[in-house]
Amino acid sequence: MKFSFVNNTNQKYSSDEIYFVITGKNTSGQFCHVDKSGNLIPCNESDNDAPGHLTKNGQNWCHYLYTLNEISEIEVPPMYWGRAYISLGSPVYLRVINNGQDIVWPDPAYPSDPNADVYYDWVEFTIDNTGFFYGNTTQVDQFGFPMIIELIASDGSKKAGITESRSALFSEYVKTVPVEFQSLVQEPYRIISPFRGGFVYGGNYATYFDDYIRNMWQYYTSNQLQVRIPQGTFIGKVENNVFTFSKTDSSNAKYTIEYPTSSDIFRCNGVFTTGEAIQRLIQAQISAMFNRHILENPANNCKPEEFYKNSPANYYAQFWHLHSIDNKAYGFPVDDVCEQSSLIAHPNPEKLKVIISWD
C-alpha cells in the first residue's frame, strides 16, 4: 500500500525540512528499512558508518531518511512492528545494533539522546502478508507534534490522531493536568509520558499509585473481581498477596498477578507481562483499570465516561483522549483495552495519509 506524507505545518517547516524514515521487521524477524522505491532493505550495523551516514555528538548514525521534497508518497511492502518516524528541521538519529537484529530508537527519557533536541513523532503499523493494515498514532512514549492518519480504501476512509494546534495543546496541558503531570513537559520539544519521566524508580513521583495499589490488594482479599476477555469470564481474588484468577467454567488453571509497583502500572509491564496469552490478557485488563482508576468499580470497565474521575489516575493519558479524534488515543501501552486506542485497521487499504501539523 502507499504512504503519503502531507506538510500541514502552515509554512513553519518547508518540505525539505521534514524528514521521514520507515523501519520494521520482515517475516524472518530482521529489521529493515524501506527505500524510496518501496523495497524492504535489511538493516546492517555497517549502515551506521556507510557513505552518507549521519554524525552527531561524535558518533555515526545510519541514514535511511528522505525529505518530503525528495519523495512524499512511497510504496510500503508487508512488514511487521513498523514505525514511520517523522522529524521537523532535523533528521532523526537511529543506530543499528546486534547484527541488524535491533535498532536504537529515540528515547525521551535520556537527555544525552541525540534526538533530545529534535522535534519528532511517529506512526506505528503492521501490514501482514495478506495486505491487512493495522496502525495508530501514539503518545505512549511522548507527544512531539500533532498528526492525523487517514486510512483510505475503496469503501471509505478512517481517521485517527490530533487536530488541535501544538501551541494550544501545550498550553492546555499545563492548565488542566495535576501538578505532578506538569513535570512531564520538556519545552520546547515534547511532553513525555509518565514512565519516561519522574513516575518510575528513583523519580519524584515513583510511588504515585502506591496507596491505591495497597487499597485494592486489601479490598480484593475479601471481594471478587470479574474480568471478561475473548476466552471467557474469569474471577479473581487476592490470595497470599497474589491476585489469582480462574475461569468460571471450573477449570483448574490459575492466572496470576504479583503485587505491582507504580512503575509497573504506568509501563503496563513487569508483573503485567508474565505467563501465557490468557494471563497477559487478564493482566492488561487490570493494568488498564489501574490507569483509569476504576479497579474498585469493575462495572465501569469499558465505560469511558467513568474513566479518570478519581485520583490517582493516569492524567497524561486522559489528556490525549480529550484532545484526539473520537477521544481515541494510545496514552499508555494497553490503551486498546475496551477499544479506546487510536488503532485503525482495514483488510484491503489503498493508502495511508499522514498529515503533519504544527500551529
Side-chain angles (χ1 to χ4, degrees), residues 34-202:
V34 180
D35 71 10
K36 64 167 58 178
S37 299
N39 299 308
L40 202 56
I41 310 298
C43 297
N44 192 291
E45 281 192 58
S46 63
D47 296 341
N48 300 320
D49 305 307
H53 64 76
L54 302 174
T55 301
K56 188 173 183 180
N57 300 338
Q59 190 170 19
N60 294 342
W61 307 83
C62 59
H63 194 335
Y64 302 144
L65 299 108
Y66 302 102
T67 68
L68 299 199
N69 196 46
E70 292 177 272
I71 180 171
S72 61
E73 188 167 276
I74 188 170
E75 292 282 351
V76 180
M79 60 194 306
Y80 298 84
W81 215 68
R83 288 186 175 189
Y85 274 95
I86 299 98
S87 57
L88 309 180
S90 165
V92 71
Y93 294 88
L94 307 177
R95 187 169 180 83
V96 182
I97 59 173
N98 297 332
N99 295 317
Q101 296 304 306
D102 208 349
I103 294 177
V104 178
W105 309 106
D107 190 338
Y110 295 100
S112 60
D113 189 287
N115 300 287
D117 60 354
V118 176
Y119 297 103
Y120 66 86
D121 218 305
W122 68 91
V123 175
E124 299 174 334
F125 68 93
T126 283
I127 306 171
D128 71 18
N129 285 333
T130 71
F132 207 120
F133 172 90
Y134 310 80
N136 56 269
T137 56
T138 177
Q139 288 80 48
V140 166
D141 292 271
Q142 62 120 57
F143 165 79
F145 44 82
M147 291 196 299
I148 298 169
I149 56 173
E150 181 180 7
L151 187 63
I152 300 169
S154 59
D155 57 353
S157 64
K158 302 176 183 178
K159 289 184 179 181
I162 297 173
T163 61
E164 296 178 49
S165 76
R166 189 176 190 271
S167 58
L169 289 162
F170 268 74
S171 176
E172 188 70 11
Y173 183 88
V174 172
K175 288 178 183 177
T176 59
V177 302
V179 64
E180 301 97 321
F181 292 86
Q182 294 175 27
S183 69
L184 300 172
V185 178
Q186 292 185 345
E187 288 190 299
Y189 297 104
R190 59 191 47 84
I191 303 172
I192 61 174
S193 71
F195 71 82
R196 296 298 188 191
F199 292 79
V200 292
Y201 304 112

Side-chain angles (χ1 to χ4, degrees), residues 227-230 281 284-286 288-289 292 294 298-304 307 321 327-329 332 334-341:
V227 171
R228 292 186 180 91
I229 60 174
L281 287 172
Q285 292 277 333
I286 304 308
M289 293 169 83
R292 296 164 177 167
I294 56 168
N300 291 335
N301 196 22
C302 297
K303 294 181 179 179
F307 298 169
H321 283 278
N327 301 120
K328 299 294 180 71
F332 57 89
V334 295
D335 222 349
D336 53 344
V337 168
C338 298
E339 299 181 348
Q340 295 307 299
S341 76

